[in-house]
Structure formats: C-alpha cells, structure tokens
C-alpha cells in the first residue's frame, strides 16, 4: 500500500532561530515528506526581529534544503495548518516545563481542530538553548556564536554593538 504524503508544520516565534530549532527541523525533515517552518507573526509581545527579518534569516539558512518551506502566518496555528493542509504539527521538547506547556497546547489543538502534534526531543547539546535566553545574553554582550547560525550571530552583532567577534 502506498503511504500517504505527510506535510508537517513547525510553528514558532523563531526570534531568532537557534541551532536547537535547526536540529528539530533537520530531524523533522526526515520524518515527513514536506516541512513548513512557520513564523508566527503575533506570538510574542516585544520581538527583537520583525517577522520579515526572521523569515529572511531562516530562508537564507535553509536555502537549498530539500522539502522545507519557510513562511509566516497570522492568528491561530491550527487555522493556518488547516489552510496549508498540514497533517501534523511538529514541536520540540527541551524540559519538563516544555512538556507541561506543550501537553496542554497539543491537547487543545487536537480538541479544537483534530490535528496531531508530533514531538522531537532536543539534542543533548542544545537542550538548554532558547531564543529568549539568546536575546538576553546577546543584549548583554555575551558570545552566543556556538548556539546560533552565523547569519543570526551577524544580525545580533549589528543589533547589539557591544557583541564581540
Ligand atoms: P514558541 O514561542 O511558539 O514556543 P519558539 O520559537 O520559542 O516558539 O519555539 C518553537 C518550538 O521549538 C517549540 O516547540 C520549542 O519547544 C522548540 N524549541 C525551541 N528551542 C529548542 C531547542 N533548543 N531544542 C528543541 N526544541 C526547541
């Protein structure tokens, strides 16, 4: 029997994208036929980068990666997933705090839209990496070059002149 084509959506704020996100994308990409990295336009209150900047950075980083699409979206993730005819939502899990939050989110999304969420566990080297922490450390001049892609580090350096390198 021929297996059905599966399209997954990986939604997030990606403000900015980190090596942890890229690890989830790389591993998720191997599980599905197509993966849409979807940058939420309304998810966070006080973003460091505009949705356009975030999409542009991710585009550059993932250029030439087969079966991966980068887009931004407004409003409810499940509504966007329905419009894009996605079969599943992909999310990453780093800690028990993530599990608690993601568990509720996944249950709600299944209750309201019948969509499944599939989780990828963070890799050991990036389990501690979060966009919020990167924004904070970079704003104080800390070197985050080994936990974000080079393009992101360059943009952070421009944003926070204090950053070394
Ligand atoms: P959101 O604001 O929707 O949580 P994020 O951009 O912070 O958006 O995260 C998007 C997804 O990526 C979430 O499922 C989050 O748990 C996951 N994620 C973030 N950082 C990592 C990481 N270092 N390793 C694995 N998953 C991660």
């Amino acid at each position: 029997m021929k297996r059905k084509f599966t399209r997954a959506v990986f939604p997030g704020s990606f403000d900015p994208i980190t090596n942890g996100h890229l690890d989830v994308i790389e591993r998720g990409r191997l599980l599905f036929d197509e993966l849409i990295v979807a940058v939420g336009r309304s998810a966070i209150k006080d973003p460091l980068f505009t949705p356009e900047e975030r999409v542009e950075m991710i585009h550059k980083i993932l250029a030439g990666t087969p079966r991966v699409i980068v887009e931004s979206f407004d409003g409810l993730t499940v509504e966007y997933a329905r419009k894009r005819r996605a079969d599943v939502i992909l999310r990453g899990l780093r800690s028990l705090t993530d599990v608690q939050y993601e568990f509720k989110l996944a249950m709600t999304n299944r209750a309201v839209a019948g969509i499944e969420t599939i989780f990828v566990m963070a890799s050991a080297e990036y389990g501690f990496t979060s966009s919020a922490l990167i924004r904070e450390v970079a704003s104080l001049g800390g070197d985050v070059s080994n936990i974000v892609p080079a393009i992101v580090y360059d943009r952070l350096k421009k944003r926070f002149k204090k950053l070394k390198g």
Side-chain angles (χ1 to χ4, degrees):
M1 194 177 75
K2 194 174 176 297
R3 193 174 64 87
K4 181 185 163 295
F5 180 96
T6 33
R7 176 180 294 128
V9 165
F10 180 34
S13 315
F14 304 105
D15 186 38
I17 191 162
T18 70
N19 287 348
H21 290 129
L22 285 182
D23 177 53
V24 172
I25 292 168
E26 191 45 42
R27 288 157 60 206
R29 195 172 74 79
L30 304 175
L31 297 173
F32 308 108
D33 299 298
E34 189 174 277
L35 178 64
I36 308 178
V37 180
V39 176
R41 304 181 66 89
S42 50
I44 40 176
K45 274 177 240 117
D46 196 12
L48 179 61
F49 295 105
T50 65
E52 290 72 24
E53 288 175 313
R54 287 179 254 156
V55 167
E56 188 211 321
M57 282 188 266
I58 303 171
H59 253 303
K60 284 190 180 148
I61 293 158
L62 295 175
T65 310
R67 299 180 290 101
V68 177
I69 296 169
V70 185
E71 292 179 353
S72 67
F73 72 100
D74 274 308
L76 273 182
T77 304
V78 290
E79 194 49 39
Y80 166 75
R82 192 187 57 76
K83 270 195 237 145
R84 294 297 275 115
R85 298 186 181 282
D87 305 283
V88 296
I89 292 174
L90 173 69
R91 296 281 286 178
L93 289 176
R94 287 159 295 189
S95 61
L96 279 181
T97 328
D98 270 0
V99 172
Q100 236 168 11
Y101 171 71
E102 295 287 343
F103 189 82
K104 282 191 211 156
L105 194 63
M107 284 183 84
T108 308
N109 286 343
R110 201 152 86 95
V112 301
I115 191 159
E116 293 288 354
T117 304
I118 297 202
F119 296 99
V120 167
M121 292 283 294
S123 293
E125 65 264 54
Y126 300 125
F128 65 94
T129 308
S130 77
S131 301
L133 205 75
I134 283 165
R135 290 196 300 271
E136 195 178 328
V137 173
S139 74
L140 297 169
D143 183 353
V144 290
S145 57
N146 57 352
I147 45 178
V148 294
I151 290 171
V152 172
Y153 191 57
D154 280 348
R155 297 293 274 266
L156 287 168
K157 273 197 291 193
K158 283 188 189 123
R159 196 58 61 95
F160 305 112
K161 297 275 190 264
K162 281 192 279 190
L163 261 188
K164 298 167 200 76

